[in-house]
Amino acid sequence: MFHLMPYRDLPADFERRYNSAYIDPIWFDVADSDKVGQYYNATLDEMLYAAKAGLHGLCTNQHHQNVYGFMANPSIMGAVLARQTNGQNIAIIQLGSTLPSTTPPTRIAEEYAMLDCISGGRLVAGFPTGLPADATISNGVIPVEQRERFREALALVIKAWSARDVFAWNGRHHQLGMVNLWPRPIQQPHPPIWIPGSGISSTAEYVVGQDHCFCHLSYYGAKNAEQVSDRYWELVARKGRDDNPYRFSFLQLIGVGETDAEAEDLYAEHAEYFFHKLLYTPTYYQAIPGCLEYEALVQSLRHNPRASINLRELKAKDLFDRGFVVVGSPKTVREQLIDGIKRLRMGHLLALLHFGSMPTELCKNNIDLFAREVLPYLADLWDDRYEDRWWPERLKAKRPAAALAAAS
Amino acid sequence: MAAPEVRRLSLWQDRIQTEVEISGRGRPLVYLHGPWGLAPDRAFVAGLADDHTVYAPKFPGTTHGNPDAVHALDNWFDLIVYHGELFDRLELSAPAVVGHSFGGLLAAEFAASAPKSVGRLVLIDPVGLWRDDAPVKNWMILSDKVRRPSLFANADGEAARRFFDVPKDPTRSRSSSGRKPVLVNSSGRSPIAGSAGTLTGLRRRRSSSGARPTASSRRLMLKSLLDESPTHGSNSSSRLVTCRISNVRRR
């Protein structure tokens, strides 16, 4: 289960007052610290509920200065989840701490190693490059350096996890004379590494080159991701990697009800809340000059199907019809998900079972129906032919033969 | 007006290929363009060329076919040393240096670090001179609605239109030599603000969240600007710099 930890009770006129979910909303005008305390606890409750319901992973993430999701340090959430799920066959997926904005990056290596130790070797180590608004505006990373800082930091983290002796790091961005990390992760030489991306650019090239798992976090549904997945698998073939579906993860908003009509009714306002208030970030905060490398920028100018979409004009029915949210009865949801899993060759489904203003009880209901009526039908889609090489070793032995539905 | 000579140089141990547009006749003058690339400033450069030999280098990363050149430079000190090498290769000895916006920041840094290499210094609306009571607006993260009037007195005028015109057909200008496509605006000029060439070439500024003073720009305020008051012109940015100088002097 994937969770963003959004602000759930924004004022009705929020989108008229602010152009963006990022940077602009003033805390004291729209938010309340007591409520946010409740949200953090509700988020942890919902994720722990998903663990008990039988989902295979719990996924946290890092964002800053926004209403859309503000686990500012995902390791804090991950620590609670790791401790509380000990004894359960569930992965702790940190997707995750952002290396370019952390100095020194060995801090993240330490936090992740702690999580792996606390969880007994159940960590999936996710490393996002970070959204441009997060990295550049909130954390002051020089845009053109974001990706090179990321790559150097990840190399340092992996070496720090596995080096058998004290070593010196003399990098372009980081210089550390004596690195001897305490603790080290249980999983050696390193936990499975997942790296998110919104398209096929230099980051995807890097991920495939390093043989890590690529996570396409689009928020626009499997229906609209075929071009990206096709290009991803072309890239995989071009680089001589195998076609193992587990090297590709995909995020999908999901709402399950007893019937199609009930589900559409239950999730409509929360879907609109998510796309109208939370996801809305203008291009001048996301396409910050220097954040995209040349080829990616050319690609985005040539082909960006989302550029013409004004999310705030779409009603819930549009969001459902376009596949942004897979919503319906268990039968409808599993059919649509299986189509998407097969079409995209998706090994890990990151199920966003809480979105927008959804209250805890509805979220738990969604988790229940998904775990009971949908997840079992996703089993065996790939397991008979492929091994998941991007999953904690200790969980593989215990995992039932099933396709992975990780809640990230 | 004759087309400028385009001199191609390989610098920084051949890791940066750049173009320098050379035009006019007279005393040597180096023009350092703003973060939008050289193209929007060409008319101004042509005016300078009436009585100067103008050397207008393209910033590393903004020369066609070499968008990643900027990654060869680690920091401001590299940038200064790089421009020292550029001046040497152009066989320039203490030319006048005119810098616009980011180019103004760069010109100031260069003059502070290598004062004997700069004969006269002109800063046009330079970024980098930070005052807490008058923070620089970062136009790169503004909405179009706010950005236009922030940069142009006439936000709907022809100059603003040409400046912000977004490329319509990125594949149109793929050259026969097979170089990477260069995005052009509707008038065929390239690159412009908003084009890939320019956007990826934006510099290693201290932070994108607003121009901040570097150590040497602070030195510059005391060393170069205060001593020689080199700004010219009567536009608002020049007056602002003058105001800042007066402010510092009062301290």
Side-chain angles (χ1 to χ4, degrees):
Chain A
M1 174 168 173
F2 196 104
H3 208 309
L4 287 166
M5 217 312 283
Y7 199 90
R8 304 186 189 194
D9 188 25
L10 291 168
D13 64 349
F14 175 81
E15 52 267 57
R16 286 193 292 279
R17 287 160 61 180
Y18 297 102
N19 281 328
S20 170
Y22 269 79
I23 312 300
D24 297 345
I26 303 300
W27 173 270
F28 292 105
D29 290 347
V30 298
D32 177 86
S33 298
D34 283 321
K35 278 187 182 175
V36 167
Q38 294 166 17
Y39 299 155
Y40 280 121
N41 282 290
T43 296
L44 292 166
D45 288 345
E46 289 152 9
M47 298 182 84
L48 292 170
Y49 189 84
K52 282 186 179 167
L55 274 78
H56 301 154
L58 302 177
C59 190
T60 58
N61 52 90
Q62 175 176 341
H63 293 294
H64 303 273
Q65 300 193 164
N66 73 85
V67 298
Y68 144 95
F70 42 103
M71 294 188 199
N73 182 342
S75 294
I76 292 175
M77 306 295 276
V80 175
L81 298 172
R83 174 68 181 87
Q84 294 299 104
T85 56
N86 266 331
Q88 295 177 251
N89 300 335
I90 191 155
I92 304 301
I93 305 170
Q94 299 297 113
L95 201 59
S97 297
T98 49
L99 291 167
S101 55
T102 304
T103 301
T106 43
R107 173 64 180 267
I108 294 175
E110 290 167 339
E111 290 179 0
Y112 276 15
M114 288 174 66
L115 291 173
D116 201 44
C117 291
I118 292 169
S119 68
R122 293 182 289 125
L123 176 74
V124 170
F127 293 103
T129 53
L131 293 177
D134 284 333
T136 295
I137 303 175
S138 298
N139 285 307
V141 174
I142 297 171
V144 76
E145 290 184 351
Q146 187 179 357
R147 279 171 177 74
E148 63 187 39
R149 289 179 70 90
F150 172 80
R151 290 165 198 167
E152 178 184 328
L154 183 52
L156 169 56
V157 165
I158 291 172
K159 185 168 183 179
W161 276 340
S162 56
R164 297 287 160 175
D165 205 349
V166 181
F167 68 92
W169 185 267
N170 186 25
R172 186 175 191 178
H173 299 286
H174 306 286
Q175 298 81 38
L176 296 168
M178 300 179 75
V179 181
N180 182 18
L181 208 71
W182 281 67
R184 305 297 179 95
I186 291 170
Q187 299 178 84
Q188 284 291 324
H190 59 75
I193 292 175
W194 293 15
I195 297 176
S198 58
I200 303 304
S201 61
S202 61
T203 297
E205 292 246 3
Y206 170 83
V207 174
V208 175
Q210 299 294 312
D211 206 21
H212 301 317
C213 173
F214 181 72
C215 310
H216 181 35
L217 309 183
S218 84
Y219 297 96
Y220 292 89
K223 263 188 184 177
N224 303 288
E226 293 181 3
Q227 193 211 28
V228 170
S229 67
D230 287 350
R231 293 187 63 223
Y232 173 77
W233 290 111
E234 286 166 13
L235 174 65
V236 167
R238 194 166 70 246
K239 288 194 169 287
R241 298 294 185 188
D242 62 35
D243 64 352
N244 189 327
Y246 291 109
R247 62 169 71 252
F248 184 72
S249 302
F250 185 79
L251 180 142
Q252 177 70 60
L253 279 74
I254 300 168
V256 195
E258 295 294 344
T259 64
D260 288 350
E262 182 198 87
E264 290 178 10
D265 185 52
L266 283 173
Y267 299 107
E269 68 174 296
H270 309 300
E272 287 186 1
Y273 185 102
F274 178 79
F275 284 97
H276 293 179
K277 297 181 193 293
L278 301 182
L279 193 65
Y280 194 87
T281 309
T283 48
Y284 55 87
Y285 282 159
Q286 295 295 28
I288 297 172
C291 283
L292 281 182
E293 290 173 321
Y294 185 90
E295 295 294 350
L297 187 54
V298 170
Q299 183 188 317
S300 73
L301 288 172
R302 276 182 179 159
H303 180 77
N304 183 2
R306 297 199 294 267
S308 59
I309 300 174
N310 184 345
L311 290 173
R312 287 178 172 171
E313 291 176 351
L314 299 180
K315 299 297 179 195
K317 188 172 186 326
D318 303 317
L319 301 169
F320 301 154
D321 289 347
R322 291 178 183 225
F324 292 1
V325 188
V326 170
V327 68
S329 67
K331 179 172 180 293
T332 299
V333 170
R334 60 186 176 238
E335 284 175 357
Q336 288 189 30
L337 289 179
I338 289 170
D339 279 352
I341 287 169
K342 288 181 175 174
R343 176 63 183 84
L344 271 53
R345 290 186 66 76
M346 181 197 312
H348 305 114
L349 170 65
L350 308 177
L352 197 69
L353 296 170
H354 177 278
F355 47 85
S357 49
M358 195 185 291
T360 290
E361 284 313 305
L362 180 56
C363 177
K364 287 181 176 177
N365 188 54
N366 196 17
I367 291 167
D368 271 337
L369 283 171
F370 179 81
R372 194 174 65 241
E373 305 288 345
V374 178
L375 180 57
Y377 294 85
L378 309 183
D380 300 328
L381 285 177
W382 307 115
D383 279 5
D384 56 337
R385 285 167 288 163
Y386 298 95
E387 179 198 358
D388 188 352
R389 293 189 279 113
W390 297 270
W391 198 244
E393 201 62 41
R394 291 183 179 184
L395 293 178
K396 283 186 199 171
K398 298 173 185 173
R399 195 170 81 173
L404 168 66
S408 65
Chain B
M1 183 188 72
E5 170 199 345
V6 178
R7 192 174 298 176
R8 293 179 174 79
L9 300 175
S10 182
L11 302 168
W12 208 243
Q13 297 175 322
D14 294 327
R15 284 185 289 163
I16 297 175
Q17 279 69 50
T18 196
E19 291 176 347
V20 182
E21 295 187 1
I22 304 171
S23 55
R25 188 173 294 175
R27 290 168 296 163
L29 182 152
V30 174
Y31 179 78
L32 300 174
H33 63 74
W36 38 75
L38 178 58
D41 293 353
R42 284 205 175 98
F44 182 70
V45 169
L48 293 174
D50 286 344
D51 50 5
H52 290 86
T53 302
V54 180
Y55 298 82
K58 293 180 180 174
F59 200 89
T62 63
T63 289
H64 305 166
N66 195 208
D68 295 327
V70 66
H71 291 280
L73 299 167
D74 280 357
N75 48 43
W76 269 107
F77 185 68
D78 277 7
L79 194 57
I80 300 309
V81 176
Y82 166 82
H83 278 83
E85 183 183 357
L86 176 67
F87 277 39
D88 286 348
R89 287 288 294 278
L90 293 171
E91 299 181 333
L92 296 171
S93 176
V97 177
V98 179
H100 186 187
S101 184
F102 176 82
L105 170 60
L106 172 58
E109 293 278 351
F110 186 73
S113 304
K116 291 180 181 173
S117 299
V118 178
R120 297 172 72 85
L121 178 65
V122 179
L123 309 179
I124 305 168
D125 193 15
V127 293
L129 299 175
W130 184 270
R131 280 192 352 191
D132 287 342
D133 61 338
V136 175
K137 192 177 285 186
N138 184 358
W139 60 271
M140 295 185 201
I141 54 171
L142 295 178
S143 69
D144 192 49
K145 191 177 169 186
V146 176
R147 180 165 45 201
R148 281 178 179 251
S150 297
L151 292 179
F152 286 86
N154 180 2
D156 300 318
E158 174 63 14
R161 191 195 64 75
R162 279 193 286 114
F163 187 87
F164 288 111
D165 201 4
V166 173
K168 290 187 172 59
D169 180 7
T171 60
R172 232 176 56 181
S173 65
R174 179 177 282 281
S175 72
S176 56
S177 64
R179 292 191 312 189
K180 286 181 177 177
V182 175
L183 304 182
V184 297
N185 65 2
S186 55
S187 62
R189 294 171 57 191
S190 70
I192 59 166
S195 78
T198 300
L199 291 181
T200 52
L202 290 170
R203 299 309 96 224
R204 293 175 183 279
R205 301 176 352 143
R206 188 71 189 92
S207 163
S208 176
S209 55
R212 304 286 301 186
T214 64
S216 50
S217 72
R218 291 190 192 97
R219 286 201 306 277
L220 173 77
M221 282 193 281
L222 297 173
K223 188 175 172 186
S224 296
L225 288 176
L226 291 179
D227 293 346
E228 300 173 23
S229 297
T231 52
H232 296 264
S234 59
N235 64 23
S236 60
S237 52
S238 298
R239 287 198 299 276
L240 181 58
V241 172
T242 306
C243 166
R244 286 171 179 159
I245 293 167
S246 304
N247 246 6
V248 177
R249 275 178 171 158
R250 280 200 294 273
R251 292 171 195 162

